[in-house]
């Protein structure tokens, strides 16, 4: 891993580059990793932190796209189920199976509406009965057969379902069960993709917090956090700015309407009784208005989502009051045996789905498929601009592969490495099964002298990055747990600050760790973490205070965070 100083110098020195990727969400970062693996020199830049846009706001599902069956997008279901199965193998430290329950409220509803949609209607309202869900789950199993790692679906009677979760609404006629997957730290995952790209090609570089300042005659100028300007002369530009794609095209001189985003918000609730009765499962359900919502155990909290509202200002999204009411009311209707109120909210987040611009009247019916529309070079601009439109979290690898292959053809090069079975970040060398895990831990304890339980906890969070981190922790003077969030320690934070391209305090607490989203971060911890980062990164006392102020403001204003 290169140090922050060396990395800045590498970015400053880039100049000519094969591919410049603007936007380091999961799609930009996935493409950066793939191209770097092929030996292509890439620069990836983001105006904020890696993985801080839409990629930090999903339902955190790595899913085969059961609901894409409704829009007849079978190709996407085939791709999504395959990618889900691959991610369970390639990133086992961050992607985990998610047993799922679908409550069913009638036997036959929705069949004729589904047929209409299947025949091309873009307006059908929907309710989904048992027949439709059963058919959907069967198709889902069929598509999920490639690289299958999880069980098939089942249908369960009303009586058994209510015995299992007595708090569930009595309105159900049955439930369906099947498996999907979840990603525990999507923000960190994006950083790991960037780090993998840097490791694969020493001539590639990555810059977070880089602002596009100008574009003239094929040369783009960016400013880094210190205000230093660096210029880049790319052969190809990839616009991977997600919901900001049209803004970036405009900055490059082209007015486009590629994105027709919809806003979605999520809540994290401290609700121990609910989490206990979920027992690791998700309930994927129809809210009273027919929208699909979900609740599952996310790192010990109940993750509830999501809303779906047309929106186009990705810089100013937060979960609004009416969205909170909608989500809590949906939970009360689904689980009338439990109490839900605002005091249970630990964290909230919101983002814009960068969906393709569409004329569908209902957001749920906008196509979820991806594409890469290209603006070919013109007189004033010698490079093409390839936009990454509509790419989902789940399918980022397959989308990156498709686009990388097209770019390799443009560059007159060929693919050297397939990413299909390439482990990601801390998934590299991850021990598979209990015996391998015991062996890995025993060797790690012997190599680092760190306590076994501590090493196991690090492995759970960071995958095999736990090993270099444990070495760092063992040598860190003054190693101790944080005062409130005691599962994390000073040496761990110091490692992250020094080694993981941290620029701002919130990069550590929101994107390299799950400290904020799990509600475990106290103000005293934030102050200590700012002190550790200040030592590691050479921040002045004034900068340390500013960072704390900015972190508190963002967490409380945008994420409903209440510090202990
Ligand atoms: C509410 C919601 C729920 C979702 N649920 C799921 C789910 O459960 N599973 C799933 O598979 N998908 C889900 N998605 C979809 C998925 O999260 C997104 O499609 C995906 O993260 C988009 O990634 P991206 O890289 O294209 O965009 P982004 O992650 O938004 O990345 C774009 C990046 O570009 C940067 N940028 C913008 N302007 C500039 C500029 N001028 N210069 C430099 N950088 C710039 C931004 O800072 C940002 O980091 C969900 C999305 C939302 C919003």
């Amino acid at each position: 891993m290169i140090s922050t100083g060396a990395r800045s110098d590498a970015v400053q020195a880039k100049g000519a580059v094969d591919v410049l990727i603007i936007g380091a969400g999961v799609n930009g970062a996935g493409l950066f990793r793939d191209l770097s693996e092929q030996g292509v020199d890439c620069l990836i830049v983001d105006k904020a932190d890696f993985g801080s846009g839409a990629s930090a706001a999903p339902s955190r599902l790595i899913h085969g796209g059961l609901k894409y069956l409704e829009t007849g997008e079978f190709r996407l279901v085939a791709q999504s189920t395959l990618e889900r199965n691959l991610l369970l193998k390639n990133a086992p430290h961050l992607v985990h199976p998610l047993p799922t329950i679908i409550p069913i409220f009638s036997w036959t509803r929705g069949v004729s509406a589904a047929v209409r949609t299947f025949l091309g209607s873009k307006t059908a309202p929907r309710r989904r009965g048992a027949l439709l869900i059963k058919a959907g789950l069967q198709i889902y199993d069929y598509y999920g057969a490639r690289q299958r790692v999880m069980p098939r679906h089942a249908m369960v009677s009303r009586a058994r379902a209510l015995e299992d979760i007595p708090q569930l609404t009595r309105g159900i006629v049955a439930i369906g069960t099947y498996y999907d997957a979840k990603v525990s730290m999507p923000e960190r995952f994006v950083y790991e993709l960037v780090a993998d790209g840097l490791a694969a090609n020493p001539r590639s570089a990555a810059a977070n917090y880089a602002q596009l300042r100008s574009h003239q005659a094929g040369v783009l100028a960016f400013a880094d956090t210190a205000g230093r300007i660096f210029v880049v002369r790319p052969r190809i530009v990839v616009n991977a700015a997600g919901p900001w794609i049209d803004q970036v095209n405009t900055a490059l001189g082209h007015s486009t309407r590629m994105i027709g985003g919809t806003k979605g918000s999520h809540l994290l609730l401290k609700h121990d009784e609910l989490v206990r009765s979920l027992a690791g499962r998700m309930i994927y359900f129809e809210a009273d208005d027919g929208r699909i919502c979900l609740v599952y155990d996310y790192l010990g909290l109940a993750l509830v989502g999501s809303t779906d509202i047309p929106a186009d200002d990705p810089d100013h999204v937060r979960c609004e009051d009416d969205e909170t009411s909608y989500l809590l009311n949906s939970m009360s209707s689904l689980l009338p045996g439990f109490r839900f109120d605002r005091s249970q909210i630990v964290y909230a987040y919101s983002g814009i789905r960068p969906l393709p611009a569409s004329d569908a009247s209902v957001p749920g019916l906008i196509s979820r498929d991806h594409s890469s529309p290209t603006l070919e070079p013109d007189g004033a601009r010698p490079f093409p601009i390839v936009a990454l439109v509509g790419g989902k979290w789940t399918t980022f690898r397959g989308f990156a592969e498709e686009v990388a292959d097209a770019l390799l053809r443009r560059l007159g090069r060929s693919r050297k490495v397939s990413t299909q079975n390439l482990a990601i970040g801390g998934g590299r060398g991850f021990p598979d099964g209990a015996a391998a895990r015991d062996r890995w831990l025993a060797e790690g304890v012997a190599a680092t002298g760190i306590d076994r339980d501590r090493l196991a906890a690090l492995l759970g969070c960071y995958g095999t990055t736990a090993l270099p981190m444990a070495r760092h922790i063992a040598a860190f003077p003054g190693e101790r747990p944080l005062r409130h969030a005691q599962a994390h320690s000073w040496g761990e934070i110091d490692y992250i600050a020094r080694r993981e391209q941290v620029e701002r305090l919130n990069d550590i607490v929101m994107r390299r760790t799950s400290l904020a989203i799990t509600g475990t971060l106290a103000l005293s911890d934030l102050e200590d973490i700012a002190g550790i980062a200040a030592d590691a990164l050479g921040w002045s006392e004034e900068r340390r205070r500013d960072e704390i102020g900015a972190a508190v403001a963002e967490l409380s204003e945008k994420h409903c965070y209440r510090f202990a």
Side-chain angles (χ1 to χ4, degrees):
M1 189 101 17
I2 27 182
S3 71
T4 302
R7 176 193 52 91
S8 306
D9 294 342
V11 171
Q12 293 282 338
K14 264 310 327 130
V17 67
D18 289 330
V19 180
L20 166 68
I21 301 172
I22 301 179
V26 71
N27 287 306
L31 181 62
F32 177 72
R33 175 184 81 130
D34 193 331
L35 288 172
S36 296
E37 288 285 349
Q38 314 313 325
V40 174
D41 296 2
C42 283
L43 171 63
I44 187 166
V45 294
D46 201 292
K47 68 171 184 166
D49 191 23
F50 309 124
S52 61
S55 297
S59 301
R60 295 161 195 262
L61 300 181
I62 298 298
H63 61 126
L66 184 59
K67 97 182 155 176
Y68 308 150
L69 292 174
E70 292 189 335
T71 36
E73 293 175 283
F74 294 103
R75 189 199 73 86
L76 187 57
V77 177
Q79 183 177 35
S80 304
T81 45
L82 171 65
E83 293 298 331
R84 176 197 65 194
N85 294 351
L86 291 173
L87 278 171
L88 284 161
K89 293 178 186 169
N90 292 335
H93 60 312
L94 294 176
V95 178
H96 306 283
L98 181 59
T100 299
I101 294 172
I102 302 193
I104 302 173
F105 295 94
S106 88
W107 293 104
T108 54
R109 267 198 300 200
V111 175
S112 56
V115 171
R116 279 203 307 278
T117 310
F118 187 66
L119 293 176
S121 163
K122 292 269 180 243
T123 53
R126 46 207 48 256
R127 282 280 167 182
R128 303 151 191 94
L131 282 179
L132 192 62
I133 290 173
K134 172 82 187 159
L137 291 175
Q138 251 160 354
I139 301 173
Y140 206 53
D141 275 345
Y142 166 78
Y143 280 116
R146 283 188 297 167
Q147 310 261 356
R148 180 189 294 287
V149 279
M150 300 185 296
R152 291 164 187 277
H153 87 275
M155 300 298 274
V156 177
S157 71
R158 176 178 191 272
R160 267 187 54 206
L162 290 174
E163 199 181 306
D164 179 7
I165 307 181
Q167 296 82 2
L168 206 55
T169 169
R170 308 269 130 181
I172 55 166
V173 299
I175 60 169
T177 64
Y178 68 102
Y179 274 76
D180 252 327
K182 59 183 173 182
V183 51
S184 56
M185 283 197 267
E187 305 84 353
R188 181 172 177 85
F189 194 126
V190 173
Y191 161 73
E192 291 192 359
L193 289 170
V194 172
D196 282 359
L198 292 172
N201 183 350
R203 291 178 311 281
S204 285
N208 43 358
Y209 300 96
Q211 292 284 344
L212 176 60
R213 283 288 168 83
S214 67
H215 160 231
Q216 221 170 16
V219 177
L220 289 92
F222 291 90
D224 70 11
T225 38
R228 296 194 300 176
I229 302 290
F230 59 95
V231 296
V232 188
R233 210 173 321 100
R235 290 175 69 186
I236 299 173
V237 169
V238 174
N239 179 352
W244 291 268
I245 278 179
D246 291 314
Q247 285 182 25
V248 167
N249 280 340
T250 303
L252 296 175
H254 297 270
S255 166
T256 55
R257 186 174 171 255
M258 294 182 177
I259 300 294
T262 74
K263 176 189 177 196
S265 295
H266 290 82
L267 301 175
L268 283 134
L269 306 180
K270 172 121 184 70
H271 199 313
D272 295 341
E273 275 177 289
L274 168 60
V275 168
R276 252 195 313 278
S277 78
L278 286 171
R281 295 168 295 183
M282 170 165 79
I283 309 182
Y284 193 62
F285 65 101
E286 258 177 22
D288 292 340
D289 59 357
R291 279 212 61 253
I292 300 284
C293 289
L294 54 89
V295 55
Y296 67 92
D297 170 356
Y298 175 79
L299 303 175
L301 298 172
L303 174 63
V304 181
S306 67
T307 51
D308 204 356
I309 303 164
D312 59 8
D313 182 6
D315 286 307
H316 300 100
V317 279
R318 41 170 285 167
C319 181
E320 300 297 342
D321 217 45
D322 52 341
E323 293 178 277
T324 302
S325 303
Y326 172 83
L327 292 171
L328 292 177
N329 290 340
S330 300
M331 291 305 294
S332 297
S333 295
L334 173 75
L335 293 154
F338 284 129
R339 187 182 60 79
F340 293 95
D341 65 55
R342 285 161 195 260
S343 71
Q344 296 159 336
I345 299 173
V346 167
Y347 196 87
Y349 63 87
S350 196
I352 296 202
R353 300 176 182 85
L355 302 174
S358 156
D359 58 359
S361 61
V362 180
L365 291 180
I366 299 172
S367 164
R368 261 44 182 177
D369 211 346
H370 52 246
S371 62
S372 50
T374 301
L375 300 166
E376 292 298 341
D378 61 23
R381 175 176 46 78
F383 50 78
I385 304 171
V386 180
L388 305 188
V389 173
K392 276 331 111 334
W393 237 104
T394 307
T395 46
F396 79 84
R397 190 211 64 85
F399 189 22
E401 185 176 66
E402 289 161 26
V403 176
D405 283 340
L407 299 189
L408 287 168
R409 277 194 297 279
R410 273 183 187 264
L411 293 167
R413 300 168 72 153
S414 52
R415 175 167 290 278
K416 293 187 199 160
V417 179
S418 165
T419 54
Q420 260 223 350
N421 297 306
L422 199 63
I424 293 165
R428 214 167 295 113
F430 194 80
D432 185 12
R437 184 171 179 276
D438 282 347
R439 237 185 351 266
W440 191 92
L441 288 173
E443 286 167 15
V445 168
T448 63
I450 205 166
D451 174 75
R452 187 185 189 279
D453 288 347
R454 178 79 179 112
L455 187 60
L458 293 173
L459 180 67
C461 283
Y462 306 108
T464 51
T465 304
L467 195 59
M469 192 180 264
R471 268 196 209 101
H472 186 89
I473 290 171
F476 182 76
E479 164 63 359
R480 56 190 182 279
L482 294 179
R483 278 186 267 175
H484 189 261
Q486 298 210 338
H488 298 269
S489 76
W490 281 54
E492 173 187 347
I493 300 297
D494 187 69
Y495 176 94
I496 291 170
R498 287 178 195 274
R499 308 284 290 272
E500 297 194 339
Q501 280 203 219
V502 165
E503 292 284 341
R504 309 294 310 267
L505 181 55
N506 266 348
D507 301 345
I508 301 176
V509 300
M510 292 176 69
R511 288 174 287 275
R512 305 296 183 274
T513 68
S514 53
L515 271 158
I517 198 169
T518 50
T520 46
L521 182 75
L523 200 51
S524 55
D525 293 333
L526 193 68
E527 282 164 0
D528 289 345
I529 293 168
I532 299 166
D535 284 347
L537 303 173
W539 291 347
S540 65
E541 178 52 21
E542 188 190 358
R543 171 82 189 269
R544 191 186 72 87
R545 281 181 203 284
D546 288 351
E547 288 293 333
I548 295 172
V552 169
E554 184 177 355
L555 286 170
S556 42
E557 284 160 24
K558 284 183 93 173
H559 299 284
C560 302
Y561 198 85
R562 289 187 295 265
F563 284 95

